[in-house]
Amino acid sequence: MRTILLIGAGKSTSHLLQFLCDKAKAENLHIEIGDINLANAQNLISGKPNCTAIKLDIFDEDERKKAIKKADLVISMLPARFHIEVAKDCLHFNKNMVTASYVSNEMEALDAEVKQKGLIFLNEIGVDPGIDHMSAMKVIDHIRSKGGKMILFESFTGGLVAPESDTNLWNYKFTWNPRNVVVAGQGGTAKFIQEGTYKYIPYHKLFRRTEFLEIEGYGKFEGYANRDSLKYRSAYGLENVLTLYRGTIRRVGFSKAWNMFVQLGMTDDSFALEDSENMSYREFVNSFLPYSPTDSVELKLRHYLKIDQDDIMWEKLVELDLFDTQKKIGIKNATPAQALQKILEDHWLLHEEDKDMIVMYHKFGYELNGKKHQIDSSMVAIGEDKIYTAMSKTVGLPLGIAALKILNKEITATGVVIPIHKDIYEPVLNELENHDIKFTEKEVPYMGYNPNNVAG
């Protein structure tokens, strides 16, 4: 019996656990799921054979080491900053490790030791990062195999609400960690390259610089830039590409509305609000507005944001009960971002039967035989309900598939790696298609940024 230790019983674990349980008998697997909240882990394994739930506090060194030592492979579903402690123990006990998170500097520093021990620490094998890497490299490698030269690459991913569950004016509900949504884009200027020119967008302008894209059957979307699109230039072998842009997908109009919170300062996470525990939603809004002995909070806000009473932007704010005098923030020493998150969670959490949606879109521009070509590639996944979400499916299935292929020695790479190589991405993508996670690729006319040679 081979033991897979799954650390973390959060929102993205449901499909991963189901996949592993479905494979347990044929693959001779025992799945041990550890979480600091034992009840969470027990709820997830209810009715599932070959599974054990354990209480696991990753800050308890003895508890952590004991669990890792007896595993054959470790999948960490912890917040990214906690992977490193697990990784060090995996290194010590000679265990392979899989995560969906971005490779941190600390994780990268372990590469030589991991290789020396013949182990693999496979990271960025979720949805974004993960499926985006694999699906992009499949097309890029195909273009190169026929002699094409890449000149443009754009990639967008969004976790959204499915059309049938889209019931608010924002066309949005939380499908992953709400905090990450509220503070998205902070911590650094967005940087990318368009038509050979480096471009930069500071945070306070990020949500007013959007691109539009169309997904067949699902309509129009918008995308705003991720923090650093250039970090994958060397990984993808795109050092000489003229355009490289990675972004986040939202429904059209979301970014303009979200920008109201940014301009007010409500997404700030750097200071605590006084007496936030007893602050009403209305008082929270008023705290960011100038004093007036006569004007109402509503009037001051409309004036500050320069929006009319009949503007849809105003309706979006009203919908969130921002001017309610009875609802309280109820969080001691809350930052503005934490207070805003509390307000949004009143309206944007998925209901039991709600379905979410993952949308991914790539644009590839290349030159072949003196001509410019373009391939558009898209994928849409729809969730089942609040538990078995498209987010948990697209994060969890690549993790599970890769973990099994590592156990079965079908993936044999060593070191701290991401899934950009054919021997990893090809078998994982092939199996994902069996779970209805597949891309539609089509040749379209090349649409560069400067069709009329206007300066970029």
Side-chain angles (χ1 to χ4, degrees), residues 249-265:
I249 291 176
R250 292 288 182 263
R251 280 292 187 184
V252 174
F254 178 91
S255 297
K256 183 179 180 182
W258 186 263
N259 189 57
M260 293 189 290
F261 296 143
V262 175
Q263 299 310 314
L264 284 164

Side-chain angles (χ1 to χ4, degrees), residues 146-149 366-373:
K146 59 182 185 180
K149 175 191 172 187
Y366 64 100
E367 285 183 349
L368 180 64
N369 300 325
K371 291 184 178 180
K372 292 180 179 178
H373 304 265

Side-chain angles (χ1 to χ4, degrees), residues 178-389:
R179 174 173 168 77
N180 291 349
V181 176
V182 173
V183 300
Q186 298 183 42
T189 296
K191 51 186 178 180
F192 50 98
I193 185 169
Q194 285 180 314
E195 291 293 293
T197 301
Y198 288 97
K199 300 289 187 181
Y200 306 93
I201 308 177
Y203 174 68
H204 71 284
K205 294 290 187 182
L206 183 62
F207 296 96
R208 295 308 296 128
R209 294 264 295 275
T210 55
E211 287 203 17
F212 294 111
L213 48 124
E214 189 99 20
I215 306 292
E216 191 173 342
Y218 293 90
K220 201 172 182 182
F221 298 84
E222 65 185 20
Y224 64 84
N226 288 355
R227 234 178 323 184
D228 185 1
S229 294
L230 305 180
K231 64 187 289 189
Y232 290 103
R233 189 157 47 172
S234 59
Y236 286 18
L238 298 174
E239 288 89 346
N240 299 315
V241 79
L242 295 176
T243 295
L244 180 57
Y245 183 106
R246 285 168 56 91
T248 297
I249 291 176
R250 292 288 182 263
R251 280 292 187 184
V252 174
F254 178 91
S255 297
K256 183 179 180 182
W258 186 263
N259 189 57
M260 293 189 290
F261 296 143
V262 175
Q263 299 310 314
L264 284 164
M266 290 181 176
T267 61
D268 196 316
D269 201 42
S270 66
F271 69 94
L273 299 162
E274 306 300 324
D275 196 31
S276 57
E277 198 170 3
N278 300 307
M279 181 181 279
S280 71
Y281 289 7
R282 187 181 185 87
E283 288 169 337
F284 172 65
V285 173
N286 194 37
S287 67
F288 292 95
L289 298 171
Y291 171 77
S292 169
T294 56
D295 293 345
S296 66
V297 175
E298 290 88 343
L299 191 61
K300 288 192 296 182
L301 186 61
R302 286 205 299 270
H303 179 74
Y304 185 85
L305 294 173
K306 297 181 175 60
I307 54 178
D308 296 322
Q309 192 170 351
D310 59 354
D311 193 320
I312 187 64
M313 294 295 124
W314 179 250
E315 293 299 318
K316 289 181 179 184
L317 295 176
V318 171
E319 184 182 71
L320 296 172
D321 297 330
L322 281 172
F323 308 105
D324 196 298
T325 59
Q326 301 305 310
K327 290 187 174 183
K328 305 290 185 183
I329 300 300
I331 305 170
K332 196 172 183 179
N333 297 320
T335 66
Q338 289 170 329
L340 178 60
Q341 178 182 330
K342 166 67 166 56
I343 292 169
L344 297 177
E345 284 177 339
D346 285 354
H347 295 270
W348 290 1
L349 293 180
L350 291 174
H351 297 142
E352 291 300 326
E353 302 304 318
D354 274 349
K355 297 179 180 182
D356 69 325
M357 174 171 73
I358 298 292
V359 180
M360 190 173 290
Y361 172 83
H362 304 306
K363 186 190 295 183
F364 307 87
Y366 64 100
E367 285 183 349
L368 180 64
N369 300 325
K371 291 184 178 180
K372 292 180 179 178
H373 304 265
Q374 183 172 315
I375 295 173
D376 284 2
S377 174
S378 63
M379 183 276 294
V380 176
I382 305 288
E384 298 170 33
D385 54 34
K386 180 182 177 180
I387 302 299
Y388 288 92
T389 60

Side-chain angles (χ1 to χ4, degrees), residues 28-261:
N28 196 29
L29 296 178
H30 177 255
I31 299 100
E32 189 162 79
I33 180 164
D35 195 273
I36 192 167
N37 186 328
L38 180 59
N40 282 352
Q42 288 172 330
N43 287 339
L44 269 180
I45 68 164
S46 178
K48 293 182 173 65
N50 299 323
C51 291
T52 306
I54 61 169
K55 181 182 176 297
L56 179 54
D57 179 356
I58 60 112
F59 298 112
D60 184 324
E61 188 175 347
D62 290 338
E63 215 171 77
R64 190 182 69 233
K65 286 181 182 296
K66 182 182 175 184
I68 291 173
K69 184 178 181 180
K70 65 181 183 180
D72 292 286
L73 179 142
V74 177
I75 301 175
S76 178
M77 298 292 283
L78 295 165
R81 62 189 181 280
F82 300 141
H83 291 319
I84 191 63
E85 298 306 320
V86 175
K88 288 175 181 175
D89 287 344
C90 285
L91 194 56
H92 178 73
F93 293 115
N94 296 310
K95 309 296 181 182
N96 292 314
M97 176 179 172
V98 184
T99 87
S101 300
Y102 287 106
V103 175
S104 65
N105 292 334
E106 294 86 354
M107 186 74 77
E108 183 63 40
L110 300 178
D111 180 56
E113 288 180 83
V114 176
K115 278 180 180 165
Q116 189 177 7
K117 290 199 167 190
L119 299 171
I120 179 171
F121 286 6
L122 178 57
N123 298 266
E124 305 190 18
I125 181 79
V127 60
D128 178 10
I131 293 176
D132 56 337
H133 292 331
M134 296 187 287
S135 54
M137 286 309 302
K138 177 185 175 184
V139 176
I140 291 170
D141 283 346
H142 172 70
I143 288 169
R144 288 174 175 151
S145 71
K146 59 182 185 180
K149 175 191 172 187
M150 287 291 299
I151 55 175
L152 176 149
F153 176 63
E154 292 192 355
S155 177
F156 300 85
T157 305
L160 303 161
V161 62
E164 57 263 49
S165 302
D166 188 347
T167 56
N168 65 54
L169 292 174
W170 293 74
N171 309 117
Y172 187 79
K173 292 181 183 178
F174 291 125
T175 61
W176 63 313
N177 189 337
R179 174 173 168 77
N180 291 349
V181 176
V182 173
V183 300
Q186 298 183 42
T189 296
K191 51 186 178 180
F192 50 98
I193 185 169
Q194 285 180 314
E195 291 293 293
T197 301
Y198 288 97
K199 300 289 187 181
Y200 306 93
I201 308 177
Y203 174 68
H204 71 284
K205 294 290 187 182
L206 183 62
F207 296 96
R208 295 308 296 128
R209 294 264 295 275
T210 55
E211 287 203 17
F212 294 111
L213 48 124
E214 189 99 20
I215 306 292
E216 191 173 342
Y218 293 90
K220 201 172 182 182
F221 298 84
E222 65 185 20
Y224 64 84
N226 288 355
R227 234 178 323 184
D228 185 1
S229 294
L230 305 180
K231 64 187 289 189
Y232 290 103
R233 189 157 47 172
S234 59
Y236 286 18
L238 298 174
E239 288 89 346
N240 299 315
V241 79
L242 295 176
T243 295
L244 180 57
Y245 183 106
R246 285 168 56 91
T248 297
I249 291 176
R250 292 288 182 263
R251 280 292 187 184
V252 174
F254 178 91
S255 297
K256 183 179 180 182
W258 186 263
N259 189 57
M260 293 189 290
F261 296 143

Side-chain angles (χ1 to χ4, degrees), residues 1-2 19-31 49-50 404 407-408 410:
M1 188 72 74
R2 302 180 296 174
F19 172 82
L20 294 174
C21 289
D22 289 345
K23 298 282 187 180
K25 189 173 181 181
E27 295 284 351
N28 196 29
L29 296 178
H30 177 255
I31 299 100
N50 299 323
L404 270 186
L407 269 182
N408 293 333
E410 294 172 48

